[in-house]
Structure formats: C-alpha cells, structure tokens
Amino acid sequence: MTIENISQAKVAGGWHKQYTHTSSSLNCNMRFAIFLPANASESNPVPVLYWLSGLTCTDENFMQKAGAFKKAAELGIAIVAMDTSPRGEDVADDAEGAYDFGLGAGFYLNATQAPWNRHYHMYDYVTKELPSLIEEHFPVSDKKSISGHSMGGHGAITIGLKNQDMYQSISAFSPIASPINCPWGQKALGLYLGDNKEAWLEYDSSELLKKGSKLPILVDQGEADGFLEEQLKPEYLLSSAEKSGTDIEVRMQPGYDHSYFFISTFIDEHLEFHASHLNK
C-alpha cells in the first residue's frame, strides 16, 4: 500500500504529518494524519491511539484544536486521525446537502444499501485497512486504543466493543450513545443499512454494551451540551453497563458544551487513561 506525504510540521519534539492514499475499502482517495512522538523509532515502536472525529470533521479538527501533542509526546503515544467519510466527486452525498448524512458523516459502519454501499465502508477502513497501513509505514507497535467525539465517540465505542482483542482501551467525548434512539442515528442507520432494525443493533453502543466489555471505558459528557437530551443520551450507556455489570466511567462535566474547548480541557486525562493500558 502506497501513501503520499502532503504536509508535515514539527511539534512537541515529534512530527505531525498528513498523507493521502487510495483506499480499497472505500473506493476513493483518503487522507489521514499521524502524530509521531520523538521517541518513536524502528527499534522503539510506540503504541497508537486512533481518533474518530464527529459530523462534518476531517483529520484536521482534532489535530489542530485538541492540544494533544505535548501530553502524547510525554507519554510516548502516536495519534492517528482520519477523515470522517469517503470523499470525491463520485461519492454519494445527501441529496439536500445535510450535514448529518453523506459526506463528512460516515458513522463508522459498513453500508449495505445502494448507492452508499459502493463507498461507505468506514468500519472496514478503521478496523482493517488503516491499521495495516499505519503499521506497515510507521514505527508503531500493534498495541492500540481508540477514542472519538460525538459521531466518532459512537464509532470508537462500537468498534472497540466489537473488536475487544484489537484494542487496549476505549474512550469518548459526547458520544452518540444510542443511535437507534436518536434522530441522527435513525436517519443514518436507516439510509445506510435499510429497514432491518436488527442490523442497526450492531452499530449501537448501548446495545453492544449489554453484552459486557472486558476493556476499560471512559466517557466525558458536557452538561451544557446542546445535543445532550435529543441526540447523545448517555443514560442509555449507563443503563446497559448496569445490566451487564460492565465497569464504565461516565463523567458529566458541568458547564461544558460540545466543542473542542471541552475536548481540549480533558484530552490529557484521556491520553493518560489510554497510556496506563497501552503500556501494560
């Protein structure tokens, strides 16, 4: 698999680099970014935190706004952030250009319905293609954790729960906790997966959590988040964790909203959480 470096900048003693490549999973060109701490080398491969961003975002939102590099460098963790959907002129988009579906809104699933099933296989991209590419081209180990925000928080929890032997830990900021029970999720799952609601359950964090988790999970949610009651619904996660006896920490943070101001406030704690499991 070939990749092309399109930008790079030294930061926190390491490097932030952007790459493009042709994705076999998504049938289009994709872009991702990686932060490599200074101690990463062929003789010292470092673990990786995969970050999944939310609706409308690209790889740049987290890398430019989260303020994660100093702590990641201190902990010796690489960070990989990818785009939130396939892109390109021939990639299907919402007919009305809505922000919550189509381009920028891949929901980290494998679409089964036309025309979305031609390109929208973000689940395969995150769990198979991208890790293989990262481990082939960069000085990283096969130890990885996963985190994300909003739609990406949904992606991080569902992917982590469905691949518990692949990751060491899971965290999320403001995740869409139960897509089957909110407008964003119902629209996306219905169009990407069709009317069979049994298929929807495989991409619902709260439903998957009912089966339990051996992985540690940390969630931060702002109490002043404008999407909290209608779209995010963290109470579903708590209820599922109680039913399955899963140890999950959901921290409600007074005064914080849905923005990267919120993420940047607590990202160091999430990195320390993941490092404690990646470095075991």
Side-chain angles (χ1 to χ4, degrees):
M1 292 184 284
T2 60
I3 60 175
E4 179 184 357
N5 180 224
I6 58 172
S7 76
Q8 62 181 29
K10 192 167 186 179
V11 57
W15 288 92
H16 169 271
K17 300 184 178 185
Q18 278 183 317
Y19 292 85
T20 59
H21 72 106
T22 300
S23 168
S24 59
S25 300
L26 305 175
N27 296 309
C28 66
N29 290 329
M30 283 293 285
R31 189 177 75 195
F32 69 87
I34 185 169
F35 168 71
L36 287 168
N39 68 324
S41 67
E42 293 300 326
S43 61
N44 183 49
V46 296
V48 183
L49 176 65
Y50 285 85
W51 174 268
L52 311 184
S53 290
L55 292 167
T56 76
C57 293
T58 68
D59 62 288
E60 294 183 338
N61 295 75
F62 178 84
M63 293 302 206
Q64 294 181 7
K65 296 180 179 180
F69 299 137
K70 285 186 179 180
K71 180 58 70 172
E74 174 189 319
L75 297 170
I77 296 174
I79 302 174
V80 171
M82 73 291 299
D83 206 342
T84 52
S85 80
R87 305 274 181 171
E89 292 183 1
D90 63 337
V91 176
D93 193 12
D94 184 89
E96 298 179 357
Y99 76 94
D100 58 355
F101 186 75
L103 297 182
F107 272 82
Y108 305 102
L109 49 71
N110 285 342
T112 59
Q113 303 300 298
W116 319 107
N117 57 354
R118 182 181 175 200
H119 295 286
Y120 286 80
H121 295 145
M122 288 296 294
Y123 178 86
D124 281 351
Y125 183 70
V126 173
T127 61
K128 298 176 183 177
E129 184 175 7
L130 187 58
S132 295
L133 185 151
I134 296 298
E135 290 169 20
E136 176 184 351
H137 290 278
F138 301 100
V140 300
S141 71
D142 61 358
K143 278 199 168 184
K144 43 190 169 284
S145 291
I146 192 163
S147 184
H149 172 231
S150 194
M151 177 186 71
H154 137 80
I157 298 173
T158 57
I159 287 172
L161 289 176
K162 292 171 73 170
N163 298 275
Q164 295 188 38
D165 291 334
M166 183 183 298
Y167 302 100
Q168 304 299 310
S169 50
I170 303 167
S171 79
F173 291 84
S174 315
I176 303 173
S178 185
I180 66 173
N181 289 301
C182 75
W184 280 343
Q186 290 164 355
K187 177 179 179 179
L189 297 177
L191 291 171
Y192 287 136
L193 303 176
D195 295 332
N196 179 10
K197 293 188 177 181
E198 287 297 313
W200 297 14
L201 303 181
E202 289 300 308
Y203 296 102
D204 186 286
S205 299
S206 298
E207 291 297 317
L208 292 170
L209 195 56
K210 289 178 181 178
K211 304 173 186 176
S213 173
K214 66 181 182 181
L215 297 182
I217 304 172
L218 172 64
V219 175
D220 271 313
Q221 172 64 63
E223 289 186 355
D225 191 321
F227 300 113
L228 177 58
E229 293 185 6
E230 183 180 24
Q231 304 285 7
L232 305 178
K233 302 179 182 291
E235 63 272 13
Y236 281 94
L237 279 178
L238 290 168
S239 175
S240 295
E242 183 178 357
K243 290 176 181 176
S244 64
T246 299
D247 185 14
I248 178 174
E249 185 174 9
V250 178
R251 308 190 303 189
M252 301 300 297
Q253 304 290 4
Y256 287 94
D257 60 15
H258 199 70
S259 72
Y260 269 84
F261 294 111
F262 170 48
I263 295 170
S264 67
T265 302
F266 297 101
I267 190 61
D268 284 4
E269 294 176 29
H270 281 242
L271 291 170
E272 290 170 346
F273 164 77
H274 289 298
S276 69
H277 299 287
L278 286 166
N279 294 326
K280 281 185 177 178

